[in-house]
Each structure stands twice: as C-alpha cells, then as structure tokens.
C-alpha cells in the first residue's frame, strides 16, 4: 500500500480534503461537551504513536498535534531538533529510517522543503508537514474549516492575501486551485510568492493573481488574510517592513472588502505591523476559531494519513 504522506495539500487532492473537512466538522461537533483531554469514543488511533520534530519554534502546531493524538486515543513523542542527533549532523534519511522502526507516523517542522521530501522518501510511515519555508498545508486545512463554518462552503469564495508572498500564501494558492476558490495576492514588488506555485495553480485551472494595489485586492473579498512580514528564519529587515506598510490590514481596508468579510491570520501576529488591533480583535476576526480548528482539522489529517479516511 502506498504511504500517505501529507507534505502538501495536493498529496491528498480535492476529494480527500473534502472528506477530511467533513470529518473535522463532525468530530468537533460530536465532542463539544467533552473535556479536552478525554478520548473520542471510537479512539481510532489507539496504540499509535506520532513523533514530532521541531527545527523551528511552535505553539499551535505543537499543542494541536499533541492534543489531536490524545483525543484520537494515540500518543506522541515531541522532540526539538537541537536535542536530537539530527541537530548534530545525523542525516534526515537515517533519522527517517530509525523513527520508522519505532513510531507509526512523523510530523516535522523544518526550514528547507527538500528536507521533508527527503524524510518522506526514506520513511516507511506517513510524514506530515508541520510547516516548511515553502508551505504550511495543515494551517490551511484549519483555515478552510473556519471559512466553511462562517460561510457554509469554499467554492466561489474570494480570498485576498495582504503582505509577504510566503509559505502560508503558497498553501492558500494551492488550496484555491484544488477546492475552487479565488485567491488575489497583494504583495509589494520583490516579495511575490514563488512563481512555480502560482504557475502550477494556474495550470490546474486555479483562479489566482498578484495585485499590487491592496484596495483593489480586497474589493469583493469574502476572506481577508495576512501573516507576519518576517517569517521564522528570515532576518529582520527595515526595508522589507517599509515595503509592507501599505499592505497592513486596517479597518479602512476591511471596509473595502465585502460587508461581513472574515479576517484570518495563522498567528502568531505582530500587532501594529501586518494587522491593527481593531481588526484582529474586531467582530470580523475569526482567529480564535481558526487557531482551535488546527486541532480538529489535524485530527482528520492524521486519520487520512493512517488510511482511516
Ligand atoms: N500557525 C502556526 O503554525 O502556529 P505555531 O507557529 O505556533 O505552530
Ligand atoms: N509565515 C510564518 C508562519 C508561522 C506559523 C513563518 O513561517 O514564520
């Protein structure tokens, strides 16, 4: 049987993503009254262990995967790469081979996307992308769940991205092409998303474009989404912050989107940089549901990876 790695959304494809989003909503509803540490009654991952490797900081990804495994009846081993032999030169391939003999799945947060591809090539258990410099598919599963909760469906919605053309945007672009929503990326010149990511979405019939004017980008948008201007591993650059300033999500900019448009942010936020307090704490912001949905969406990613969805 082929191993179900979840390195990017395209590894699953539209039908499986739809099934995962349905399952995430159903499981979320079914356990709404249960204490967070209680196992789902069917305990579908009883006896399974997920190893998590962090080469970068994390709050949401770490806690949501850990709680997801607990709620599904499984267990986790959480490791910072710096305290592993990986952090002092053991290869990704050898790490993958060893972990595959001891655990049932691996989640890794790393820098170079090539490392996770290498991990998947040598692992004999599923490998899940917990963020790389190139993409963050688990985040966008939670974002899609949040949008469905607010609007009922994804198809036909317009998402306006403001700011840096980064890993989170790449996964939104990929999701748009797979799930039938439009993505307009408003990025300052020099900070565009990867041309290959845009090209591949367009080739699949995706409705995606880059727009320099932030006001034009948000016009008619159902979803306004942003992220930090300086991602993990990037150096702090005054020049970049200055170029991003016109793309800050303000109440004025939100007012140019569709009435009732939803604001999303994967978090952590840099308040006063990519978004002002009045928007992130305002009535259109869905960020706490979005953060919570990391837990629910990833339970379904795990179930899919284990061949149970
Ligand atoms: N959004 C997200 O991935 O958060 P963490 O960096 O805290 O995991
Ligand atoms: N683009 C951000 C996302 C953090 C969850 C980063 O890579 O740091």
């Amino acid at each position: 049987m082929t191993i179900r790695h979840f390195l990017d959304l395209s590894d699953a494809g539209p039908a499986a993503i739809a099934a995962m989003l349905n399952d995430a909503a159903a499981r979320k509803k079914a356990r709404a009254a249960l204490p967070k540490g209680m196992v789902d009654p069917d305990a579908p991952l009883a006896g399974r262990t997920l190893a998590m490797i962090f080469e970068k900081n994390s709050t949401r990804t770490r806690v949501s995967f850990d709680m997801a495994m607990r709620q599904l009846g499984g267990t986790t081993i959480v490791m910072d790469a710096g305290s592993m032999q990986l952090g002092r030169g053991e290869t990704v391939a050898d790490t993958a081979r060893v972990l595959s003999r001891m655990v049932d799945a691996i989640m890794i947060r790393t820098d170079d996307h090539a490392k996770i591809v290498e991990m998947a090539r040598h692992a004999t258990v599923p490998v899940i992308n917990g963020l790389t410099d190139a993409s963050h598919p688990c985040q966008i599963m939670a974002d899609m769940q949040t949008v469905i909760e607010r609007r009922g469906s994804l198809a036909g919605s317009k998402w306006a991205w403001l700011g840096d053309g980064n890993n989170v945007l790449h996964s939104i672009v990929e999701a748009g092409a797979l799930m039938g929503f439009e993505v307009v990326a408003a990025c300052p010149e020099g900070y565009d998303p990867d041309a290959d990511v845009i090209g591949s979405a367009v080739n699949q019939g995706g409705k995606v474009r880059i727009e320099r004017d932030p006001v034009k980008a948000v016009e008619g948008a159902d979803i306004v989404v942003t992220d930090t201007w300086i991602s993990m591993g990037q150096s702090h650059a005054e020049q970049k912050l200055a170029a991003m300033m016109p793309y800050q999500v303000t109440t004025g900019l939100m007012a140019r989107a569709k009435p009732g448009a939803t604001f999303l942010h994967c978090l952590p936020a840099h308040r006063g940089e990519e978004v002002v307090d009045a928007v992130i704490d305002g009535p259109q912001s869905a960020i706490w549901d979005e953060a919570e949905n990391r837990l629910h969406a990833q339970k379904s990613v795990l179930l899919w990876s284990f061949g149970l969805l």
Side-chain angles (χ1 to χ4, degrees), residues 223-251:
I223 311 299
V224 177
V225 53
T226 189
D227 183 18
T228 182
W229 292 339
I230 313 281
S231 282
M232 290 183 278
Q234 296 178 344
S235 48
H236 192 87
E238 290 307 325
Q239 196 191 351
K240 184 174 185 184
L241 296 184
M244 292 290 161
M245 209 55 211
Y247 299 83
Q248 182 184 61
V249 183
T250 59
T251 46

Coordinates of all heavy atoms in Angstrom, one line a residue, residues 223-251:
I223 N -12.9 36.8 2.2 CA -11.9 36.5 3.2 C -10.7 37.4 3.1 O -10.2 37.6 1.9 CB -11.3 35.0 3.1 CG1 -12.5 34.0 2.9 CG2 -10.4 34.7 4.2 CD1 -13.4 33.9 4.1
V224 N -10.3 38.1 4.1 CA -9.0 38.9 4.1 C -8.1 38.2 5.0 O -8.4 37.9 6.2 CB -9.3 40.3 4.6 CG1 -8.0 41.1 4.6 CG2 -10.4 41.0 3.7
V225 N -6.9 37.9 4.5 CA -5.9 37.1 5.3 C -4.5 37.6 5.2 O -4.1 38.1 4.1 CB -6.0 35.6 4.8 CG1 -5.9 35.4 3.4 CG2 -5.0 34.7 5.6
T226 N -3.8 37.6 6.3 CA -2.5 38.1 6.3 C -1.6 37.2 7.2 O -2.1 36.3 7.8 CB -2.4 39.6 6.7 OG1 -1.0 40.0 6.5 CG2 -2.7 39.8 8.2
D227 N -0.3 37.5 7.3 CA 0.6 36.8 8.2 C 1.8 37.7 8.5 O 1.9 38.8 7.9 CB 1.1 35.5 7.4 CG 2.0 34.6 8.2 OD1 2.0 34.7 9.5 OD2 2.7 33.8 7.6
T228 N 2.6 37.3 9.3 CA 3.8 38.0 9.7 C 4.6 38.5 8.4 O 4.6 37.8 7.4 CB 4.8 37.2 10.6 OG1 5.9 38.0 10.9 CG2 5.2 36.0 9.9
W229 N 5.2 39.6 8.5 CA 6.0 40.1 7.4 C 7.4 39.5 7.4 O 8.1 39.5 6.4 CB 6.1 41.7 7.4 CG 4.8 42.3 7.1 CD1 3.8 41.8 6.5 CD2 4.4 43.7 7.5 NE1 2.7 42.7 6.4 CE2 3.1 43.9 7.0 CE3 5.1 44.7 8.2 CZ2 2.5 45.1 7.2 CZ3 4.4 45.9 8.3 CH2 3.1 46.1 7.8
I230 N 7.8 39.0 8.6 CA 9.1 38.4 8.7 C 8.9 36.9 9.2 O 8.6 36.8 10.4 CB 10.1 39.1 9.7 CG1 10.0 40.6 9.4 CG2 11.5 38.5 9.7 CD1 10.9 41.1 8.3
S231 N 9.1 36.0 8.4 CA 8.9 34.6 8.8 C 10.1 34.0 9.6 O 11.2 34.6 9.5 CB 8.6 33.7 7.6 OG 7.3 33.9 7.1
M232 N 9.8 32.9 10.2 CA 10.9 32.3 11.0 C 12.1 31.9 10.1 O 11.8 31.4 9.0 CB 10.4 31.0 11.7 CG 9.4 31.3 12.8 SD 8.9 29.8 13.6 CE 7.6 29.2 12.5
G233 N 13.3 32.3 10.5 CA 14.4 32.0 9.7 C 14.8 33.2 8.8 O 15.9 33.2 8.2
Q234 N 13.9 34.2 8.7 CA 14.3 35.4 7.9 C 14.9 36.4 8.8 O 14.4 36.5 9.9 CB 13.0 35.9 7.2 CG 12.4 35.0 6.2 CD 11.2 35.6 5.5 OE1 10.6 36.5 6.0 NE2 10.7 34.9 4.4
S235 N 15.8 37.2 8.2 CA 16.3 38.3 9.1 C 15.4 39.5 9.1 O 14.8 39.8 8.1 CB 17.8 38.6 8.7 OG 17.8 38.8 7.3
H236 N 15.4 40.2 10.2 CA 14.6 41.4 10.4 C 15.2 42.5 9.4 O 16.3 42.8 9.5 CB 14.7 41.8 11.8 CG 13.7 42.9 12.2 ND1 12.5 42.6 12.6 CD2 13.8 44.2 12.1 CE1 11.8 43.7 12.8 NE2 12.6 44.7 12.6
A237 N 14.4 43.0 8.5 CA 14.9 44.0 7.6 C 13.9 45.2 7.5 O 12.8 45.1 7.1 CB 15.0 43.3 6.2
E238 N 14.5 46.3 7.9 CA 13.7 47.6 7.9 C 13.1 47.9 6.5 O 12.0 48.3 6.4 CB 14.6 48.8 8.3 CG 14.9 48.7 9.8 CD 13.7 48.6 10.8 OE1 12.7 49.1 10.5 OE2 13.9 47.9 11.8
Q239 N 13.9 47.6 5.5 CA 13.5 47.8 4.1 C 12.2 47.0 3.8 O 11.3 47.5 3.1 CB 14.6 47.4 3.2 CG 14.6 47.9 1.8 CD 15.6 47.3 0.9 OE1 16.5 46.6 1.4 NE2 15.5 47.5 -0.4
K240 N 12.2 45.8 4.2 CA 11.1 44.9 4.0 C 9.8 45.5 4.7 O 8.7 45.5 4.1 CB 11.3 43.5 4.4 CG 10.2 42.5 4.0 CD 10.6 41.1 4.3 CE 9.5 40.1 3.9 NZ 9.8 38.7 4.2
L241 N 10.0 45.8 6.0 CA 8.9 46.3 6.8 C 8.3 47.6 6.1 O 7.1 47.7 6.0 CB 9.3 46.6 8.2 CG 9.8 45.5 9.0 CD1 10.1 45.9 10.5 CD2 8.8 44.4 9.1
A242 N 9.2 48.4 5.6 CA 8.7 49.7 4.9 C 7.9 49.3 3.7 O 6.8 49.9 3.4 CB 9.9 50.6 4.6
A243 N 8.4 48.4 2.9 CA 7.7 48.0 1.7 C 6.3 47.4 2.0 O 5.3 47.5 1.2 CB 8.5 47.0 0.9
M244 N 6.2 46.7 3.2 CA 4.9 46.0 3.5 C 3.9 47.0 4.1 O 2.7 46.6 4.1 CB 5.2 45.0 4.6 CG 6.0 43.8 4.2 SD 5.1 42.7 3.0 CE 6.4 41.8 2.3
M245 N 4.3 48.1 4.6 CA 3.4 49.0 5.3 C 2.1 49.3 4.6 O 1.0 49.2 5.2 CB 4.1 50.3 5.7 CG 3.6 50.9 7.0 SD 3.7 49.8 8.4 CE 2.3 50.4 9.3
P246 N 2.1 49.6 3.3 CA 0.8 49.8 2.6 C -0.1 48.6 2.6 O -1.3 48.8 2.3 CB 1.2 50.2 1.2 CG 2.7 50.6 1.3 CD 3.2 49.8 2.4
Y247 N 0.4 47.5 3.0 CA -0.4 46.3 2.9 C -0.9 45.9 4.3 O -1.5 44.8 4.5 CB 0.4 45.1 2.3 CG 0.8 45.4 0.9 CD1 1.9 46.2 0.6 CD2 0.0 45.0 -0.2 CE1 2.2 46.6 -0.7 CE2 0.3 45.4 -1.5 CZ 1.4 46.2 -1.7 OH 1.8 46.5 -3.0
Q248 N -0.7 46.7 5.3 CA -1.2 46.5 6.6 C -2.8 46.4 6.6 O -3.4 47.2 5.9 CB -0.8 47.7 7.5 CG -1.2 47.5 9.0 CD -0.9 48.7 9.8 OE1 -1.4 49.8 9.6 NE2 -0.1 48.5 10.8
V249 N -3.3 45.4 7.3 CA -4.8 45.3 7.3 C -5.3 46.2 8.4 O -5.2 46.0 9.6 CB -5.2 43.8 7.6 CG1 -6.7 43.7 7.5 CG2 -4.6 42.9 6.5
T250 N -6.0 47.2 7.9 CA -6.6 48.3 8.8 C -8.1 48.2 8.7 O -8.7 47.5 7.8 CB -6.2 49.7 8.3 OG1 -6.6 49.8 6.9 CG2 -4.7 49.8 8.3
T251 N -8.8 48.9 9.6 CA -10.3 48.9 9.5 C -10.7 49.5 8.1 O -11.7 49.1 7.6 CB -10.9 49.7 10.6 OG1 -10.2 51.0 10.8 CG2 -10.8 49.0 11.9

